[in-house]
Amino acid sequence: MTQNGLDYAAPEGLLTGRVILVTGASDGIGRAAAQTYASLGATVVLLGRDLQKLEQVYDAIEKAGHPQPAIIPMNFSSATQADFDQLAVSIEQELGRLDGILHSAGLLGDITPLEMYDPDTWDDIMKVNLRAPFVLTQTLLPLLKRSPDASVIFVSSSVGRKARAFWGAYAVSKSGVEALSALFADEMTNISQIRFNCVNPGGTRTAMRARAYPAENPATVKSPEEIMPVFTWLMGPDSRGVTGQSLDAQPPRQA
Ligand code: NAP
């Protein structure tokens, strides 16, 4: 049996009947996860800031014959508490339940020394990468508590575990995400069945990766689809009992 999800092969229909919210579902890892969860039977709620891109993901899921998804456009840079409250109401009224959240939305910000880091960019990165996962999870707790087997996955980064020069607000936000996940897990262990875990995807072929490493040959890093096993394992019932963990979606790269 898998201990860390790396070699997990999801059985057909693993997520049938579950409702799963995926942030950053318009692109990269979030888009791949939304399509994967839908292919395993989940009704996915696609959250992102670009309606057109979300509609393309919606169409792909429908075309593949998976359960009809829902779309919630939201920009985390400007979202208010009222927007988060409305999202909770919409999920409850339209879908009646919530069994999981994948917090994949993220922004890179500037790769630059702290000495020169723009404070407004800093605030935006904190809002999108750290404040939004916190407020969204907090607002959706009442719905998650009603699920018999809820799972919340936060998305971290290697610089969230060990900061590296020039990664600025991104590194700070991701180390905050690691703490946020551990805090929710610790505080909720004895009072709910909700599981909270953090995943470091490792280098993955997305728009963000290309911005961070413009000189890298994209063929040398895994595609979002290739790193899905941990995300599926944590979202489904086979990882019951796993909470407060910080996991990797890829084995460490050989030096
Ligand atoms: P990506 O392809 O750039 O996707 C990021 C997603 O977040 C997109 O859907 C994007 O929407 C959404 N987003 C950005 N700003 C937003 C905002 N203000 N409000 C709502 N949604 C917003 O990046 P990715 O590589 O898939 O990253 C997914 C997660 O993995 C991130 O948390 C990232 O930090 C983490 N990560 C990635 C890597 C990697 O190598 N790729 C490594 C470590 C960690 P748009 O489509 O509108 O841009």
Side-chain angles (χ1 to χ4, degrees), residues 23-30 47-50 53 74-77 103-107 124 128-129 155-158 170 174 200-209:
T23 78
S26 57
D27 215 336
I29 295 164
L47 188 152
R49 60 183 173 174
D50 183 324
K53 284 172 78 175
M74 188 184 289
N75 188 333
F76 286 154
S77 297
H103 291 286
S104 191
L107 276 180
D124 194 33
V128 174
N129 293 6
V155 180
S156 172
S157 162
S158 53
Y170 183 82
K174 292 299 185 180
N200 168 21
T204 311
R205 201 183 312 143
T206 66
M208 184 188 285
R209 178 79 187 182

mmCIF file of all heavy atoms in Angstrom, residues 23-30 47-50 53 74-77 103-107 124 128-129 155-158 170 174 200-209, ligand 1:
data_model
loop_
_atom_site.group_PDB
_atom_site.id
_atom_site.type_symbol
_atom_site.label_atom_id
_atom_site.label_comp_id
_atom_site.label_asym_id
_atom_site.label_seq_id
_atom_site.Cartn_x
_atom_site.Cartn_y
_atom_site.Cartn_z
ATOM 1 N N THR A 23 -9.051 25.455 -7.073
ATOM 2 C CA THR A 23 -8.694 26.830 -7.416
ATOM 3 C C THR A 23 -7.538 26.797 -8.414
ATOM 4 O O THR A 23 -6.764 25.840 -8.450
ATOM 5 C CB THR A 23 -8.297 27.654 -6.171
ATOM 6 O OG1 THR A 23 -6.957 27.314 -5.784
ATOM 7 C CG2 THR A 23 -9.260 27.434 -5.008
ATOM 8 N N GLY A 24 -7.469 27.835 -9.236
ATOM 9 C CA GLY A 24 -6.452 27.822 -10.290
ATOM 10 C C GLY A 24 -6.748 26.731 -11.294
ATOM 11 O O GLY A 24 -5.848 26.132 -11.883
ATOM 12 N N ALA A 25 -8.045 26.485 -11.521
ATOM 13 C CA ALA A 25 -8.452 25.371 -12.393
ATOM 14 C C ALA A 25 -8.326 25.722 -13.870
ATOM 15 O O ALA A 25 -8.560 24.878 -14.726
ATOM 16 C CB ALA A 25 -9.898 24.967 -12.077
ATOM 17 N N SER A 26 -7.962 26.969 -14.167
ATOM 18 C CA SER A 26 -7.907 27.378 -15.574
ATOM 19 C C SER A 26 -6.605 26.976 -16.242
ATOM 20 O O SER A 26 -6.485 27.061 -17.462
ATOM 21 C CB SER A 26 -8.069 28.896 -15.677
ATOM 22 O OG SER A 26 -7.066 29.542 -14.915
ATOM 23 N N ASP A 27 -5.605 26.568 -15.450
ATOM 24 C CA ASP A 27 -4.305 26.315 -16.083
ATOM 25 C C ASP A 27 -3.449 25.380 -15.224
ATOM 26 O O ASP A 27 -3.748 25.147 -14.053
ATOM 27 C CB ASP A 27 -3.561 27.640 -16.303
ATOM 28 C CG ASP A 27 -2.744 27.624 -17.586
ATOM 29 O OD1 ASP A 27 -2.382 26.532 -18.058
ATOM 30 O OD2 ASP A 27 -2.474 28.715 -18.127
ATOM 31 N N GLY A 28 -2.391 24.875 -15.845
ATOM 32 C CA GLY A 28 -1.339 24.158 -15.136
ATOM 33 C C GLY A 28 -1.828 22.982 -14.297
ATOM 34 O O GLY A 28 -2.640 22.154 -14.727
ATOM 35 N N ILE A 29 -1.306 22.934 -13.073
ATOM 36 C CA ILE A 29 -1.577 21.805 -12.187
ATOM 37 C C ILE A 29 -3.055 21.756 -11.791
ATOM 38 O O ILE A 29 -3.665 20.682 -11.731
ATOM 39 C CB ILE A 29 -0.656 21.906 -10.940
ATOM 40 C CG1 ILE A 29 0.811 21.743 -11.373
ATOM 41 C CG2 ILE A 29 -1.030 20.861 -9.890
ATOM 42 C CD1 ILE A 29 1.840 22.191 -10.330
ATOM 43 N N GLY A 30 -3.658 22.918 -11.551
ATOM 44 C CA GLY A 30 -5.077 22.967 -11.184
ATOM 45 C C GLY A 30 -5.970 22.430 -12.294
ATOM 46 O O GLY A 30 -6.915 21.679 -12.046
ATOM 47 N N LEU A 47 -12.588 27.092 -10.159
ATOM 48 C CA LEU A 47 -12.422 28.481 -9.739
ATOM 49 C C LEU A 47 -11.162 29.056 -10.389
ATOM 50 O O LEU A 47 -10.117 28.420 -10.389
ATOM 51 C CB LEU A 47 -12.315 28.566 -8.215
ATOM 52 C CG LEU A 47 -12.319 29.978 -7.607
ATOM 53 C CD1 LEU A 47 -12.897 29.949 -6.187
ATOM 54 C CD2 LEU A 47 -10.939 30.629 -7.583
ATOM 55 N N GLY A 48 -11.303 30.266 -10.932
ATOM 56 C CA GLY A 48 -10.156 30.959 -11.524
ATOM 57 C C GLY A 48 -10.566 32.375 -11.872
ATOM 58 O O GLY A 48 -11.712 32.769 -11.669
ATOM 59 N N ARG A 49 -9.611 33.136 -12.392
ATOM 60 C CA ARG A 49 -9.919 34.555 -12.657
ATOM 61 C C ARG A 49 -10.253 34.814 -14.117
ATOM 62 O O ARG A 49 -10.649 35.907 -14.478
ATOM 63 C CB ARG A 49 -8.740 35.420 -12.221
ATOM 64 C CG ARG A 49 -7.473 35.070 -12.950
ATOM 65 C CD ARG A 49 -6.275 35.856 -12.476
ATOM 66 N NE ARG A 49 -5.092 35.317 -13.137
ATOM 67 C CZ ARG A 49 -3.887 35.811 -13.060
ATOM 68 N NH1 ARG A 49 -3.676 36.876 -12.326
ATOM 69 N NH2 ARG A 49 -2.879 35.259 -13.706
ATOM 70 N N ASP A 50 -10.074 33.807 -14.975
ATOM 71 C CA ASP A 50 -10.277 34.013 -16.408
ATOM 72 C C ASP A 50 -11.419 33.105 -16.886
ATOM 73 O O ASP A 50 -11.240 31.894 -17.056
ATOM 74 C CB ASP A 50 -8.960 33.678 -17.137
ATOM 75 C CG ASP A 50 -9.036 33.931 -18.630
ATOM 76 O OD1 ASP A 50 -10.121 33.705 -19.228
ATOM 77 O OD2 ASP A 50 -8.016 34.340 -19.211
ATOM 78 N N LYS A 53 -10.908 30.871 -20.069
ATOM 79 C CA LYS A 53 -10.057 29.687 -19.852
ATOM 80 C C LYS A 53 -10.804 28.629 -19.029
ATOM 81 O O LYS A 53 -10.691 27.434 -19.284
ATOM 82 C CB LYS A 53 -8.748 30.086 -19.146
ATOM 83 C CG LYS A 53 -7.756 30.766 -20.090
ATOM 84 C CD LYS A 53 -6.554 31.337 -19.342
ATOM 85 C CE LYS A 53 -5.544 30.278 -18.951
ATOM 86 N NZ LYS A 53 -4.339 30.883 -18.330
ATOM 87 N N MET A 74 -13.408 34.033 -9.976
ATOM 88 C CA MET A 74 -13.040 34.871 -8.832
ATOM 89 C C MET A 74 -11.567 35.245 -8.947
ATOM 90 O O MET A 74 -10.734 34.391 -9.257
ATOM 91 C CB MET A 74 -13.270 34.111 -7.517
ATOM 92 C CG MET A 74 -13.076 35.004 -6.305
ATOM 93 S SD MET A 74 -13.225 34.137 -4.734
ATOM 94 C CE MET A 74 -14.954 33.800 -4.650
ATOM 95 N N ASN A 75 -11.288 36.519 -8.706
ATOM 96 C CA ASN A 75 -9.895 36.956 -8.697
ATOM 97 C C ASN A 75 -9.462 37.148 -7.250
ATOM 98 O O ASN A 75 -9.992 38.006 -6.548
ATOM 99 C CB ASN A 75 -9.764 38.277 -9.476
ATOM 100 C CG ASN A 75 -8.312 38.662 -9.652
ATOM 101 O OD1 ASN A 75 -7.445 38.294 -8.853
ATOM 102 N ND2 ASN A 75 -8.040 39.403 -10.710
ATOM 103 N N PHE A 76 -8.508 36.353 -6.801
ATOM 104 C CA PHE A 76 -8.082 36.407 -5.401
ATOM 105 C C PHE A 76 -7.375 37.722 -5.054
ATOM 106 O O PHE A 76 -7.230 38.044 -3.885
ATOM 107 C CB PHE A 76 -7.155 35.234 -5.081
ATOM 108 C CG PHE A 76 -7.866 33.905 -4.955
ATOM 109 C CD1 PHE A 76 -7.185 32.718 -5.199
ATOM 110 C CD2 PHE A 76 -9.197 33.834 -4.568
ATOM 111 C CE1 PHE A 76 -7.821 31.488 -5.073
ATOM 112 C CE2 PHE A 76 -9.849 32.613 -4.439
ATOM 113 C CZ PHE A 76 -9.157 31.438 -4.691
ATOM 114 N N SER A 77 -6.929 38.449 -6.061
ATOM 115 C CA SER A 77 -6.272 39.734 -5.767
ATOM 116 C C SER A 77 -7.271 40.752 -5.244
ATOM 117 O O SER A 77 -6.901 41.676 -4.525
ATOM 118 C CB SER A 77 -5.612 40.301 -7.026
ATOM 119 O OG SER A 77 -4.608 39.445 -7.480
ATOM 120 N N HIS A 103 -6.152 23.703 -3.369
ATOM 121 C CA HIS A 103 -5.751 25.114 -3.475
ATOM 122 C C HIS A 103 -4.562 25.214 -4.428
ATOM 123 O O HIS A 103 -3.411 25.261 -3.993
ATOM 124 C CB HIS A 103 -5.320 25.634 -2.100
ATOM 125 C CG HIS A 103 -6.426 25.757 -1.107
ATOM 126 N ND1 HIS A 103 -7.376 26.760 -1.164
ATOM 127 C CD2 HIS A 103 -6.733 25.035 -0.007
ATOM 128 C CE1 HIS A 103 -8.205 26.641 -0.137
ATOM 129 N NE2 HIS A 103 -7.852 25.599 0.574
ATOM 130 N N SER A 104 -4.834 25.258 -5.727
ATOM 131 C CA SER A 104 -3.714 25.281 -6.678
ATOM 132 C C SER A 104 -3.400 26.679 -7.209
ATOM 133 O O SER A 104 -2.307 26.900 -7.736
ATOM 134 C CB SER A 104 -3.995 24.336 -7.851
ATOM 135 O OG SER A 104 -2.852 24.157 -8.633
ATOM 136 N N ALA A 105 -4.345 27.620 -7.094
ATOM 137 C CA ALA A 105 -4.087 28.971 -7.640
ATOM 138 C C ALA A 105 -2.840 29.544 -6.988
ATOM 139 O O ALA A 105 -2.627 29.408 -5.789
ATOM 140 C CB ALA A 105 -5.275 29.882 -7.375
ATOM 141 N N GLY A 106 -2.015 30.173 -7.806
ATOM 142 C CA GLY A 106 -0.802 30.761 -7.254
ATOM 143 C C GLY A 106 -0.183 31.740 -8.230
ATOM 144 O O GLY A 106 -0.416 31.666 -9.437
ATOM 145 N N LEU A 107 0.581 32.660 -7.670
ATOM 146 C CA LEU A 107 1.304 33.641 -8.473
ATOM 147 C C LEU A 107 2.765 33.615 -8.066
ATOM 148 O O LEU A 107 3.086 33.409 -6.894
ATOM 149 C CB LEU A 107 0.759 35.051 -8.195
ATOM 150 C CG LEU A 107 -0.473 35.535 -8.954
ATOM 151 C CD1 LEU A 107 -0.818 36.945 -8.495
ATOM 152 C CD2 LEU A 107 -0.256 35.491 -10.457
ATOM 153 N N ASP A 124 0.186 41.526 -3.118
ATOM 154 C CA ASP A 124 -0.642 40.745 -4.045
ATOM 155 C C ASP A 124 -0.316 39.254 -3.945
ATOM 156 O O ASP A 124 -1.220 38.407 -3.911
ATOM 157 C CB ASP A 124 -0.414 41.263 -5.479
ATOM 158 C CG ASP A 124 -1.473 40.737 -6.435
ATOM 159 O OD1 ASP A 124 -2.639 40.539 -5.995
ATOM 160 O OD2 ASP A 124 -1.159 40.504 -7.612
ATOM 161 N N VAL A 128 -2.997 36.270 -2.858
ATOM 162 C CA VAL A 128 -3.378 35.147 -3.734
ATOM 163 C C VAL A 128 -2.873 33.817 -3.173
ATOM 164 O O VAL A 128 -3.607 32.826 -3.127
ATOM 165 C CB VAL A 128 -2.830 35.376 -5.169
ATOM 166 C CG1 VAL A 128 -3.088 34.157 -6.049
ATOM 167 C CG2 VAL A 128 -3.449 36.634 -5.775
ATOM 168 N N ASN A 129 -1.619 33.806 -2.715
ATOM 169 C CA ASN A 129 -0.992 32.523 -2.334
ATOM 170 C C ASN A 129 -1.292 32.096 -0.904
ATOM 171 O O ASN A 129 -1.252 30.909 -0.598
ATOM 172 C CB ASN A 129 0.533 32.606 -2.488
ATOM 173 C CG ASN A 129 0.979 32.734 -3.938
ATOM 174 O OD1 ASN A 129 0.149 32.865 -4.826
ATOM 175 N ND2 ASN A 129 2.264 32.718 -4.168
ATOM 176 N N VAL A 155 -1.112 23.722 -1.789
ATOM 177 C CA VAL A 155 0.017 23.513 -2.696
ATOM 178 C C VAL A 155 1.183 24.418 -2.295
ATOM 179 O O VAL A 155 1.056 25.642 -2.266
ATOM 180 C CB VAL A 155 -0.391 23.738 -4.163
ATOM 181 C CG1 VAL A 155 0.812 23.514 -5.077
ATOM 182 C CG2 VAL A 155 -1.519 22.784 -4.551
ATOM 183 N N SER A 156 2.269 23.769 -1.984
ATOM 184 C CA SER A 156 3.449 24.469 -1.489
ATOM 185 C C SER A 156 4.530 24.512 -2.575
ATOM 186 O O SER A 156 4.219 24.478 -3.773
ATOM 187 C CB SER A 156 3.911 23.714 -0.232
ATOM 188 O OG SER A 156 5.123 24.196 0.218
ATOM 189 N N SER A 157 5.764 24.532 -2.147
ATOM 190 C CA SER A 157 6.889 24.612 -3.084
ATOM 191 C C SER A 157 8.161 24.274 -2.307
ATOM 192 O O SER A 157 8.180 24.387 -1.080
ATOM 193 C CB SER A 157 6.969 26.037 -3.626
ATOM 194 O OG SER A 157 8.233 26.279 -4.187
ATOM 195 N N SER A 158 9.212 23.912 -3.026
ATOM 196 C CA SER A 158 10.464 23.619 -2.297
ATOM 197 C C SER A 158 10.967 24.866 -1.565
ATOM 198 O O SER A 158 11.530 24.762 -0.479
ATOM 199 C CB SER A 158 11.522 23.067 -3.247
ATOM 200 O OG SER A 158 11.666 23.932 -4.336
ATOM 201 N N TYR A 170 7.052 34.975 -2.811
ATOM 202 C CA TYR A 170 6.609 33.622 -3.156
ATOM 203 C C TYR A 170 7.085 32.626 -2.096
ATOM 204 O O TYR A 170 6.295 31.821 -1.591
ATOM 205 C CB TYR A 170 7.147 33.243 -4.546
ATOM 206 C CG TYR A 170 6.700 31.888 -5.029
ATOM 207 C CD1 TYR A 170 5.448 31.716 -5.615
ATOM 208 C CD2 TYR A 170 7.521 30.765 -4.909
ATOM 209 C CE1 TYR A 170 5.029 30.465 -6.067
ATOM 210 C CE2 TYR A 170 7.117 29.517 -5.354
ATOM 211 C CZ TYR A 170 5.872 29.379 -5.929
ATOM 212 O OH TYR A 170 5.451 28.139 -6.367
ATOM 213 N N LYS A 174 4.703 30.624 0.546
ATOM 214 C CA LYS A 174 4.630 29.154 0.538
ATOM 215 C C LYS A 174 5.055 28.563 1.880
ATOM 216 O O LYS A 174 4.525 27.524 2.285
ATOM 217 C CB LYS A 174 5.481 28.582 -0.607
ATOM 218 C CG LYS A 174 4.921 28.898 -1.994
ATOM 219 C CD LYS A 174 3.527 28.308 -2.211
ATOM 220 C CE LYS A 174 3.015 28.522 -3.613
ATOM 221 N NZ LYS A 174 1.670 27.968 -3.839
ATOM 222 N N ASN A 200 4.118 19.561 -2.267
ATOM 223 C CA ASN A 200 5.078 20.280 -3.102
ATOM 224 C C ASN A 200 5.108 19.574 -4.455
ATOM 225 O O ASN A 200 5.554 18.424 -4.533
ATOM 226 C CB ASN A 200 6.465 20.245 -2.448
ATOM 227 C CG ASN A 200 7.550 20.729 -3.398
ATOM 228 O OD1 ASN A 200 7.278 21.432 -4.374
ATOM 229 N ND2 ASN A 200 8.782 20.344 -3.116
ATOM 230 N N PRO A 201 4.629 20.241 -5.528
ATOM 231 C CA PRO A 201 4.550 19.556 -6.829
ATOM 232 C C PRO A 201 5.919 19.175 -7.389
ATOM 233 O O PRO A 201 6.028 18.221 -8.134
ATOM 234 C CB PRO A 201 3.893 20.593 -7.748
ATOM 235 C CG PRO A 201 3.319 21.645 -6.861
ATOM 236 C CD PRO A 201 4.108 21.616 -5.588
ATOM 237 N N GLY A 202 6.972 19.942 -7.023
ATOM 238 C CA GLY A 202 8.262 19.767 -7.713
ATOM 239 C C GLY A 202 8.158 20.410 -9.089
ATOM 240 O O GLY A 202 7.056 20.735 -9.559
ATOM 241 N N GLY A 203 9.288 20.600 -9.745
ATOM 242 C CA GLY A 203 9.288 21.272 -11.054
ATOM 243 C C GLY A 203 8.299 20.626 -12.016
ATOM 244 O O GLY A 203 8.392 19.435 -12.288
ATOM 245 N N THR A 204 7.375 21.425 -12.516
ATOM 246 C CA THR A 204 6.303 20.906 -13.373
ATOM 247 C C THR A 204 6.097 21.873 -14.548
ATOM 248 O O THR A 204 6.124 23.086 -14.367
ATOM 249 C CB THR A 204 4.993 20.783 -12.571
ATOM 250 O OG1 THR A 204 5.271 20.094 -11.353
ATOM 251 C CG2 THR A 204 3.928 20.016 -13.335
ATOM 252 N N ARG A 205 5.861 21.281 -15.722
ATOM 253 C CA ARG A 205 5.812 22.041 -16.971
ATOM 254 C C ARG A 205 4.544 22.903 -17.083
ATOM 255 O O ARG A 205 3.514 22.456 -17.603
ATOM 256 C CB ARG A 205 5.852 21.044 -18.132
ATOM 257 C CG ARG A 205 6.306 21.623 -19.459
ATOM 258 C CD ARG A 205 6.224 20.576 -20.534
ATOM 259 N NE ARG A 205 6.817 19.313 -20.134
ATOM 260 C CZ ARG A 205 6.324 18.114 -20.475
ATOM 261 N NH1 ARG A 205 5.247 17.990 -21.216
ATOM 262 N NH2 ARG A 205 6.927 17.015 -20.053
ATOM 263 N N THR A 206 4.617 24.106 -16.558
ATOM 264 C CA THR A 206 3.464 25.018 -16.597
ATOM 265 C C THR A 206 3.962 26.421 -16.957
ATOM 266 O O THR A 206 5.174 26.669 -17.019
ATOM 267 C CB THR A 206 2.795 25.106 -15.213
ATOM 268 O OG1 THR A 206 3.715 25.732 -14.307
ATOM 269 C CG2 THR A 206 2.389 23.749 -14.674
ATOM 270 N N ALA A 207 2.994 27.338 -17.096
ATOM 271 C CA ALA A 207 3.350 28.730 -17.411
ATOM 272 C C ALA A 207 4.197 29.331 -16.290
ATOM 273 O O ALA A 207 5.155 30.066 -16.537
ATOM 274 C CB ALA A 207 2.068 29.538 -17.619
ATOM 275 N N MET A 208 3.854 28.984 -15.034
ATOM 276 C CA MET A 208 4.621 29.540 -13.915
ATOM 277 C C MET A 208 6.069 29.056 -13.951
ATOM 278 O O MET A 208 7.007 29.830 -13.743
ATOM 279 C CB MET A 208 3.983 29.168 -12.572
ATOM 280 C CG MET A 208 4.701 29.816 -11.408
ATOM 281 S SD MET A 208 4.161 29.245 -9.797
ATOM 282 C CE MET A 208 2.587 30.052 -9.623
ATOM 283 N N ARG A 209 6.242 27.788 -14.213
ATOM 284 C CA ARG A 209 7.596 27.221 -14.272
ATOM 285 C C ARG A 209 8.401 27.910 -15.381
ATOM 286 O O ARG A 209 9.580 28.234 -15.207
ATOM 287 C CB ARG A 209 7.506 25.714 -14.513
ATOM 288 C CG ARG A 209 8.834 25.002 -14.648
ATOM 289 C CD ARG A 209 9.493 24.752 -13.314
ATOM 290 N NE ARG A 209 10.842 24.211 -13.486
ATOM 291 C CZ ARG A 209 11.645 23.854 -12.486
ATOM 292 N NH1 ARG A 209 11.243 23.988 -11.238
ATOM 293 N NH2 ARG A 209 12.848 23.378 -12.714
HETATM 294 P P1 NAP B 1 0.038 28.223 -13.532
HETATM 295 O O1 NAP B 1 0.023 27.311 -14.691
HETATM 296 O O2 NAP B 1 0.536 29.611 -13.683
HETATM 297 O O3 NAP B 1 -1.430 28.216 -12.903
HETATM 298 C C1 NAP B 1 -1.752 29.050 -11.829
HETATM 299 C C2 NAP B 1 -3.241 29.113 -11.675
HETATM 300 O O4 NAP B 1 -3.557 30.068 -10.652
HETATM 301 C C3 NAP B 1 -3.935 29.586 -12.959
HETATM 302 O O5 NAP B 1 -5.162 28.924 -13.071
HETATM 303 C C4 NAP B 1 -4.124 31.057 -12.675
HETATM 304 O O6 NAP B 1 -5.144 31.682 -13.410
HETATM 305 C C5 NAP B 1 -4.495 30.993 -11.181
HETATM 306 N N1 NAP B 1 -4.370 32.314 -10.573
HETATM 307 C C6 NAP B 1 -3.306 33.138 -10.597
HETATM 308 N N2 NAP B 1 -3.597 34.299 -9.991
HETATM 309 C C7 NAP B 1 -4.877 34.213 -9.570
HETATM 310 C C8 NAP B 1 -5.759 35.099 -8.903
HETATM 311 N N3 NAP B 1 -5.381 36.353 -8.581
HETATM 312 N N4 NAP B 1 -7.018 34.699 -8.628
HETATM 313 C C9 NAP B 1 -7.421 33.449 -8.974
HETATM 314 N N5 NAP B 1 -6.648 32.574 -9.640
HETATM 315 C C10 NAP B 1 -5.384 32.952 -9.937
HETATM 316 O O7 NAP B 1 0.921 27.616 -12.346
HETATM 317 P P2 NAP B 1 1.123 26.123 -11.824
HETATM 318 O O8 NAP B 1 2.537 25.794 -12.046
HETATM 319 O O9 NAP B 1 0.039 25.230 -12.295
HETATM 320 O O10 NAP B 1 0.957 26.368 -10.254
HETATM 321 C C11 NAP B 1 -0.038 25.721 -9.471
HETATM 322 C C12 NAP B 1 0.445 25.721 -8.042
HETATM 323 O O11 NAP B 1 1.625 24.922 -7.942
HETATM 324 C C13 NAP B 1 0.829 27.111 -7.539
HETATM 325 O O12 NAP B 1 0.374 27.268 -6.219
HETATM 326 C C14 NAP B 1 2.340 27.089 -7.586
HETATM 327 O O13 NAP B 1 2.900 27.965 -6.651
HETATM 328 C C15 NAP B 1 2.643 25.643 -7.282
HETATM 329 N N6 NAP B 1 3.936 25.141 -7.727
HETATM 330 C C16 NAP B 1 4.199 24.971 -9.040
HETATM 331 C C17 NAP B 1 5.441 24.458 -9.431
HETATM 332 C C18 NAP B 1 5.786 24.236 -10.876
HETATM 333 O O14 NAP B 1 6.934 23.835 -11.162
HETATM 334 N N7 NAP B 1 4.879 24.464 -11.823
HETATM 335 C C19 NAP B 1 6.401 24.112 -8.464
HETATM 336 C C20 NAP B 1 6.086 24.303 -7.111
HETATM 337 C C21 NAP B 1 4.849 24.808 -6.767
HETATM 338 P P3 NAP B 1 -4.890 32.219 -14.942
HETATM 339 O O15 NAP B 1 -5.176 31.043 -15.814
HETATM 340 O O16 NAP B 1 -5.875 33.320 -15.082
HETATM 341 O O17 NAP B 1 -3.454 32.671 -15.004
#
